[in-house]
Structures are given as structure tokens and as C-alpha cells.
Amino acid sequence: MIIADILNYLLQLGTVFLLATEGSLVVQRAGLLNLGIEGFFAMAAFVAYLVQVMTGNFALSMLAAVCVAVAMNMIFTVLTVHLRLNHIVSGLAVAMFGVGLAYAFGRSLVQIPVYVQLPVLNIGGIYIDPIEILSFIIVGLLWFMMYKTKLGYKIRIVGEDPYVADMLGIDITKVRYIATLIEGALVGMAACYYILVSAGAWSEGVTAGKGWLAIVLAMMGLWDPLYAVAAVYTVVTIRDLIRLVPGIGENVFLLEAFSYIIAISLLAVVSHFEIKKRKRVSIPLALAKVYSREERARKYT
Amino acid sequence: MKLLELRGITKRFAHTVALDNVDFDLLKGEVHALLGENGAGKTTLVSIISGVYQPDSGQILLEGKPVTLKSPRDAYRRGIVLVPQHPALPESLTVYEALALFLDKSPSRKLKTFIEERLRKFGIEVDLDKRISLLTPYEKVKVEIAKALVADAKIYIFDEATSLLGHGDRELLYKIIRTLCAEGRGVIYITHRIDEVFNIADRVTVLRKGRKVLTRRINEVTREELLEAMFGKKLEEYAGPRSASTHGEGLAVENLTVQDDYGRLAVRNVTLSVKYGEIVTILAAPGAGHREFLEAIVGLRKPVSGRVKVNGIDVTGRDPSFIRRMGVAYIPDDRLGLGVAPGLAVKWNLVMRDLDKFTTKVGTFHKFLNDALVKVLEKVGLAPDVLPVPCAELSGGQIQRIITARELFLREVKVIVALNPFYGLDYETTSLLRKTLIDLRNSGCAILVATEDIEEAVKLGDRILVMREGKILKEFSGSTVSARELAKVLTL
Amino acid sequence: MTRIRIRIVRRERTTRGFHLLLTVLSLIGAFLIAGVLMIFLGVNPLAFYSIFLQSSILTTWGLQITLSYLVPILLCCLSAIVSYRAALWNIGQEGQYIIGAMTALAAGAFLFPNVPPPLSYIILVLAGAAGGGVWALICGLLRIVSEINEAVTTLLMYYVALQLLNYVCRVAWRNPAFVGHPETYSLAPQYMLSFGGSLAIAIAVLVITWFLIDRTKLGLELDLLSEGFRVAQYSGVKPSRVILWSMFFSGALAGISGALYLASTSGFLQPEFSVGYGFAGIIAAWLCDLKVLYAPLASFLLAMMYSSGHALQACLHVSIDIIDAIEGLILMAVLTVHFFTRYKIVLVRQ
Ligand SMILES: Nc1ncnc2c1ncn2[C@@H]1O[C@H](COP(=O)(O)OP(=O)(O)OP(=O)(O)O)[C@@H](O)[C@H]1O
Ligand SMILES: [Mg+2]
């Protein structure tokens, strides 16, 4: 039974990260390095919690979270795509703004727990809820979109070389907006699921670090929707299983440090065999580079 | 009927006025050639027509109606396609996927048959299933042409499409252009080969320093008039004396075998020597292995086997900066990808190959740096105010002058290695570079030039070697061979 | 029919004075925009700015605090500049800062506790530099060996550093004298620095970095690497060598930042030692356009934000989070108007 509990726990946490990671992956593939996720993850989680407390309607909370995440993500897109500003600073500013706002408002709330019980499918003690199923469906859809559809091609080319994309007649602004939209929606879902199903209540620092990790996981998954699943579940498993070891006490920190080192080593090995051979993975070479059609020589910013 | 009309187009960039109140028009079914020296503004003009740049002022009329072309996509939708000067293709896709994306269609069987049909109609051969990252620069040009042809456009623009193409491909392109015109479409054709203009153009416009100086029907203008319009003064062919005396072995290559980027054998067991005081040209079709051969000599590629000696000293497998310090200059043809660091100012591009000469022991730069640089810029006919400009903002010809200045004048060179040094250069820059090379030969340099252009090979070479599939096929003496003879061997 | 379209046009090369004027105007614009937005958040912008200025520069005490924040932020900013100039994306300054402080503590508390002052400071700086440098160097090695993007590894290594910090505070180096709060043993007293001392060292490091990056060929090597491997190789720069030394250099600067902050504040480590100077440094680096000489200005602005936080919280009766949000806003506004120093908007009549 303990094993089933652990699996349930991992699946729940994994779903949160999987959704957020897939979201981040899509924008990164379009060449935007959006460090703002931390900010709108917090805001979306906060809004989901607020709506849930007020209405008790999970679907409504989800919708609100998605809307807020998408809206906040647009700030980032406006700054980087239209104003051609540096991705890293814009992202960090959005992150600061979002986290600050969420916790400033969250402080004034009564922090009642609102665990949402979703209907579940019981498979031998492992409970699978609709969002968990949905997360895997989304992975499949994204994979299909990325490699089999016109939009996917466009996203990849925009992230690889915006100038080339432009010359091919691709509407870079539109593609980047679509990517941000997808990211906002997925991160919003992740945040809502996390706060209502997994954490169950708003508290100081509940969302801390979730967004950052999603960004790194997207990179670890080599920007591929399927590899990302592997990256997410490996890291989540190593990181969170350690906490469950009985009697570990404060050594948990050392082990957790090790878990990241293991993650880095795994990444090194995968990358060694995959990227070097350039088999299937292509990488967003233009990640975090600002594109401006008429300027051939823009190095920094 | 006028397909396209531009009125009073002006375009400024941070450092230059690229176009100054230019008028231009294109009729149905005509080929309108655009001529001008390097940096005259030809690429800028067609970039405006194809939506890449927005004009600062002026009007564009398409079939009589004023339009704004907001982006390349916008221009494409209105029936304008461009074959750009530097191929811009998605490296990670196959040729077919790229074409499909350009047509804004999802890949499907039907589409593929359509594309194949269309290319067959024009007689263009490209491998649709090849990854673009695996293509040579020459193949990329062909893909760009194919890309333009699959679109059903009203106006086709070719920006120096033939610079990298061999003889046969050029003939094919002329045929294609004639077909397009017969169907009532218009073609804008940019080139530096003046003979080409007389071959296919109906009208010709010459730009000079951003201004239009002349538009004429082709049968109302002479070659000399065109040259004078382009460069202002009357130019003279500089041939210089044939080599007077040779002495000593400057560059010796023994049994060199080299791989290309994909691990295939590109150069097989080549032996060659260049004496001081002579120019040896290697004539080769694109992809014949001459690129890899030269790169192996200057240290950019590790040979599989064989030796390279400079002035009798073995430099096989040494790094480029070591070989540079031995007095070897290398002029590459991939200007933006290798020849210069596009994002850096001209100043740094000039010093980058000879850091040892421009820095003290602790690595600080010498104070008199700027004076030295101004002097070499003068030698290639550039003003000192380009020093702080990033190379990416210069035109192709200006970049070539920077490379020449750096490689030939910033250090005492004994051996010069050059790959397609004249490609994309205007008449004036070409003569300047040719004169420079011949002068250096006469003062005792050993020079090895690989080129894909028969004319250049004949004009320059004291000895001419023909290379095919990584081997030297035949050797000719420069003074006795004719271009026709060489063409025969090359296309054998 | 005339239609009017908006076009964004790059400004032509401007004179230095005009650029300065634009920058000042833009900053004023930024504070105005942020002020309007503050009203929506229920904060009085006038009160906000007056407290902001008073608590960060207008009082001696405030200025001192700001300067104490300036040191770590400035060094992390330099660290970011060094790596970004080479187009290496080191975003793990925070981790290198932690490790630098840890190695400095190891040297100053356990290895050489009895070294006399001038030498002790040298040891402090070298230990910090070595720690941070090696931490970043690992990422450089991974980049060369298996081509993993250093942005990923440096960020992951930050997490490793954070966990190690927790571990040494709570277990390995825990000082049993502190009962409640987990804290480590302290540096030996002769390692401790005054604010002035750490500022002096930071300025020295700034000058050295400026000299190396802007006056010697090392800077050019960074630039060439950022232009791509092939050009770098052609111009005699060995890409892997530059990756290694610039990552080490970058990490070392962040490491020194940690060591100095440790020695000029409490002298011991605690889990709260990591407060985000590394990330502030990254922001500063982009604000100053990767120019070493402007780094102090940009870092100072961020230091002001840090130092005024508590005063703002106390005087305006708002939570520290809202201050964070506002500072995020100010940053966005500063960025937005930064845009106007590079571009102008023209209306085109058609
Ligand atoms: N994006 C840009 N930014 C800044 N300057 C530019 C830009 N594009 C072109 N220029 C400048 O405008 C002038 C004209 O350039 P253009 O590329 O149109 O010349 P060209 O006639 O095509 O020359 P070439 O035969 O060498 O290709 C040059 O001086 C060049 O430096
Ligand atoms: Mg051109």
C-alpha cells in the first residue's frame, strides 16, 4: 500500500510539473526564454484558490487561473516581441511582479484548506484523476503538433532562426503569441491543479520554485514533449522520494543536493548521445535572442 | 502595363543613406537588370520590394495601386518572391518541408507531387528529401531558386543568384527566366556580370551610392556606358606582367587526404606545390573538394593523412593562428560565416587574426592601433569612418575589402590562399583585388587561389589545375590555355 | 486617402550628451508610469518615492546599507557581464555566491584561522574566487564535453548549492552555541571586514575586471567566442579554452561576492544567506548593457531597491511582497523606456 501511496503522490506532483514544463517548452521552442513563469504560476495559483473559496467550482477556478496566466504572460510577450527588450530581464521583472502581487494579496486571505476531490479511476490502488489523464493527452497532442503540423514547424523555425522564418513568410509575432498562449494556459492549469488538488491551501511560499524548475525541466527534456515526460518524472521521483525515507532528518538536504547532481549527470549522458548525434532533437538556437527585422547586427539586449 | 512602380524611395540606416529618392519600374514580361558597385543599394532596393525593409519615404505601386508591403509574407501574398543574396533556409528541415512551409501548406503527398511537377517543368534538380544543414552553399542557392519557382508569383527577384553557379546552371537559369517572362511575369535581376545583362535583360538600371544614375533599354546602351555609370571613371583592365621569375617552394602539399563536414572523403591524396612568385589557380565546380583542401592547408580542418609545408616547415594539423604567424593569409568565401565576426566593429575584425602583433606581452592593445588600421583601410579604398561600424551592416563587397586588408596588409605574408575571392564583387573591387594579388606575386609571394569561375582562373593563374571529386585532373599553363579548353575539361 | 501608420525606427548614432538626456528622461518616465500603476495597487506614489529615496540614499545610515548591498550585487553583475559577453548563459551567480561564501568560511574558520590581517583578506578573496570559479567551471566543462547548455546546468548547480548551504548550516558546520536558529561557526575575527573595506575590495575587483575586459585582448576573445566557434577558431581563439576561463572568471567574481558579503556582515552562514543578489546582478548586467563601466550605476539602482524594502514596508504599512511587486513594475517601466533610448516611433503618412 505504501508503494501505491508513493506513486499517487508522485503522479500528482509530476502532473503539476509536467503541465508547466510542457508549457515552458513550447515558448522556448519559439525562441522566447520566459523566466516569468514563477510569477504567473503564483498569480494563477492565487486566483484559482480565491475563486475556489468564493464559488466552490473547480472548473471556474481552472478557467480563472488560465485567464490570469495567459494575461500575465502577454506582458512578457509585449516586452520582448514588440519592444524588443532583453528576455532575461523582462522575465525576471514579470516574475518579481507576479510573485509579489500574489503573496501581497494572499496575505490578506483567511487561509482555509480547500482540498478538491476530483473523481478518480482506481487501478490497483493507484488513483488517476482526469487532469492526470489530460496531462498525458496534452503531451501526445503537443508532440503531434510540434512534429506533424504546420504550426509546429513554424514554432520550431521561429525558435531556430527568426530571420529565416521571416524570409519564409512566417508571421513571427503571431507564432510567438500562440506559443505564449499555450504556455499561459498550461501553466495556469498546472497552478490551479497544484494549489487546489495537491497543496490544498494557500500559504506563504506555496508556489516557490515551481516555475524555475519547470524552465529547467523543459531544457532537460531537450525541448521535446516526450523527453520532457522522462525529465519531469525522473527529477520529481529522485527529489521527492528522498523526503519520504524514514529517519533521514536533516541529511535530506545533502541527499537533495545529490539528486540534482544525478539529474545533471543524466542530462549530460542523454545530451552526449542525442544532441551530439543530432538525431531527432533540434534545439531552439535563437533562444533568448531578440529579433528585429531591419537590424542585422544586434548582439546584446 | 506597369507591374510595379517605385516612386522616390529613400532608405536610411544608422550609418548610411542606402537609397536616395530612387524611382524604378517593372513591366509585364520583362527582365529588368539592376547594376551597381558593391554597396550601391541594390539589395536594399529589392528588400524594400519584397517587404524585408520599410522605406523611410516614397511610394510603391503594384499594378497601379499604392500598397504598403509590411513583411516578406505580405509581399509574397501579393505575388512577389525573392531569391536572396545570402540563402536563408531552415537548417533543421528537409528541402521539401521548407518548400511546403514557404507555400504555407501542410506536408502531404499531393503537395509533394505538385512541387516535383513544378520543378520538373523548369528543369531544376534538387534532392527534396535532403536536410538543408547537409547542403553545400551552392546547393542552397539552387534550393532558393526552387523555392521561388514553386510559388506562382507575378514578380521574381534574383539577387546575385548566379554568383555561385557554374556555367551549366547559369544557362538553365536564363532559360527559366525566359519561360517566366513568356508567361507575362516580371523579373528583377541583380548581377555583377555585365555580360549576363546583355544576354537576358530587356532594360537595365544602374544605382550608384544609393542614387539611380540611369535606366535604359538594353539595345540603347553599351558595356562601356554601363561601366562608367557604375563606377564614374573609365576603368582599365589591369593584367600586369606574367610572372617573371619563381624561386623556392612556398607551399608544398604532399598526399593530402581530407574529410568534409559529414565524414565523406572530399580530398583524395592530392600533391601540389606553389613556388614563390607564382600564382596557381585551382579551377573546380562547386563541391569538388577545393574548399576542404584549402581549409586543411590553413589549419581550419584536420587532414586525415598527408603533409602541408610552408616555407619548408611542416605545419600539418597546426591551428590557424600558428599557420597565420608563419606568414600565411587565407581569404575565405563564406564572408559572414567565417571571414568576419559580423557583430563586431570593423576595427576588431581587422586585428582579430594578428592579435600577437597588436598587443603587448600582458595583452593590452597598442596605442597606435588606429593609425595602422586607417592606413590599411586606405589601401583597399575604404574611409576610416567605417572603423566603429559592425561588419554585418556593410555590403558584401565592403566586407570583402575588410578581409583583404586584414589578410594581406596587416602582416608580412609569404603565402596567400584564397577561396572564390571574387564572388559577388563588383567590377572595381574585382580589379582592385586582382591587382593586389598580382602585385604581391611580383614581389615574391606564393599564391594559391581556388575558384569556380573559369574567366578568373585564366586571368590570374600562372598555372591552372582542374580539380574534380577531390583529385587534380589536369594541369595547364596559364599563358597557353583558353577558357573554352578549360570549360571542356571541367564539364567532362 | 491618407492613412497613418506607426513605425518603429532605430535611432541613428546619437551623441553622448543626447543619450544621457534620453536616459534621464526615460528614468523619469519610468518612475511616472510605475507611479500611476501604484495608485491602482493602493499605494501613494509620492510617499513611496520619498521614502524610497530617504531610506536608500538621503540618510547616512540608509546610504551605508545601500552600499553594503551594492558590493555583492556589483560583483554578481560583473560576473554576468563576463559570461554574457561571450554568449555563455551563466545564470547561476546565486549558487556561485553561496559556494564562494562557503569556501571562504572553510578557509577563514577551519583551515587558516590564525593568519594575520593583510594576508587573511587575500585568503578570503582567493578562497571565495576559487569556490565560485570551480562551481561555474564544472558547467563550462559540461558544455564542452557533452554540449549541455550552461543556462541549464548553472541553474541546477544553484539548487545544489542551496541544498548544501542548508546542509552545512544545519548539520556539518552547525554552531551548537546557537540553539534555535541553524547557524554555522564564524570566521576568525581577523577575517572580518568593515563595509568600507569590502567596498574597497569590490572597487579594486571592478577596476581589474574593467582592465582585463576592456583594455586587453581577453575581452576581444570573449566577443569573438560569442560570434561563433568557427570565426573564433579562424582568428586563433581556442573556443574550449575561452569557455573554461570565462566561466571560471565569471564564477570567481560571484564567489568573491559571497565571500565579501559573508566577511562584512555576520561572519557566519545561515539558510537565509541566499537572498537573490545573484539574480539582481543579472538584471543589473542587462540594464547597463553589459558595459563594465556602467555596472556600478545599474547595480546601485538595484541596491537601492533592496535597501529601501524594509523602510517602505514599515512606513507605508504594506507587506514586503507588494514592495517586490512594485519593484518588478519599476523594472518593467525602466525597460520599457529603455526602448526609447534605442528606437523612435515615427508616423508614416500614406
Ligand atoms: N541592415 C542594415 N543596417 C545597416 N546598414 C545597412 C543595412 N543593409 C545595408 N546597409 C548599408 O547600405 C548600403 C547598401 O547596401 P546593399 O546591401 O544594398 O548593397 P548592394 O548594392 O547589395 O551591394 P553588394 O553588391 O555588395 O551586395 C551599404 O553601405 C550597407 O552598409
Ligand atoms: Mg547585395
Side-chain angles (χ1 to χ4, degrees), chain B residues 272-274 278-282 447-450 461-463 465:
Chain B
L272 165 158
S273 101
V274 186
E278 74 167 344
I279 299 181
V280 175
T281 52
I282 296 179
I447 302 179
L448 176 64
V449 177
D462 298 319
R463 285 191 291 142
L465 311 176

Side-chain angles (χ1 to χ4, degrees), chain A residues 33 35 75 79 82-86 88-90 92-94 96-101 103-105 107 204 209-210 212-213 215-216 219-220 223 250-254 256-258 260-261 263-264 267-269 271-272 275-276 278 287-290 292 294-295 297-301, chain C residues 7-10 41 84-85 89 91 135 142 144-149 151-153 155-164 166-167 170-171 174 182 222-224 226-227 279 282-283 286-287 289-290 305 319-322 324-329 331-332 335-336 338-339 342-343:
Chain A
L33 180 57
L35 299 181
I75 302 179
L79 290 178
H82 292 295
L83 298 188
R84 305 167 194 185
L85 296 169
N86 179 271
I88 293 176
V89 199
S90 309
L92 287 175
V94 171
M96 268 168 84
F97 177 64
V99 171
L101 212 58
Y103 288 98
F105 290 150
R107 209 177 283 264
E204 193 59 44
K210 299 284 180 293
W212 302 132
L213 197 55
I215 298 166
V216 178
M219 294 176 170
M220 280 185 70
W223 302 279
E250 307 224 290
N251 287 321
V252 71
F253 294 108
L254 194 59
E256 222 170 275
F258 266 119
Y260 285 111
I261 292 177
I264 295 174
L267 181 59
V269 173
S271 163
H272 198 80
I275 291 199
K276 275 220 162 156
R278 306 230 185 271
L287 190 63
K289 291 203 182 106
V290 172
S292 165
E294 299 209 352
E295 288 165 70
R298 299 221 35 213
K299 267 196 69 187
Y300 315 124
T301 65
Chain C
R7 279 215 309 126
I8 296 172
V9 182
R10 185 108 166 104
L41 291 177
Y84 299 163
R85 277 276 293 268
W89 305 112
I91 50 174
W135 208 243
L142 284 171
I144 293 168
V145 177
S146 33
E147 288 187 23
I148 323 179
N149 191 306
V152 187
T153 46
L155 198 55
L156 279 170
M157 289 297 273
Y158 155 61
Y159 284 110
V160 177
L162 197 60
Q163 302 306 330
L164 284 181
N166 267 298
Y167 179 71
R170 291 169 205 267
V171 187
R174 173 152 196 180
L222 294 179
D223 287 338
L224 282 169
S226 77
E227 292 285 325
F279 296 108
I282 295 175
I283 297 178
W286 289 114
L287 282 183
D289 237 3
L290 305 186
M305 292 190 173
S319 70
I320 187 78
D321 300 305
I322 200 93
D324 277 349
I326 290 176
E327 289 178 348
L329 267 182
L331 197 60
M332 278 187 235
L335 277 175
T336 308
H338 191 52
F339 166 81
R342 300 159 176 275
Y343 297 96

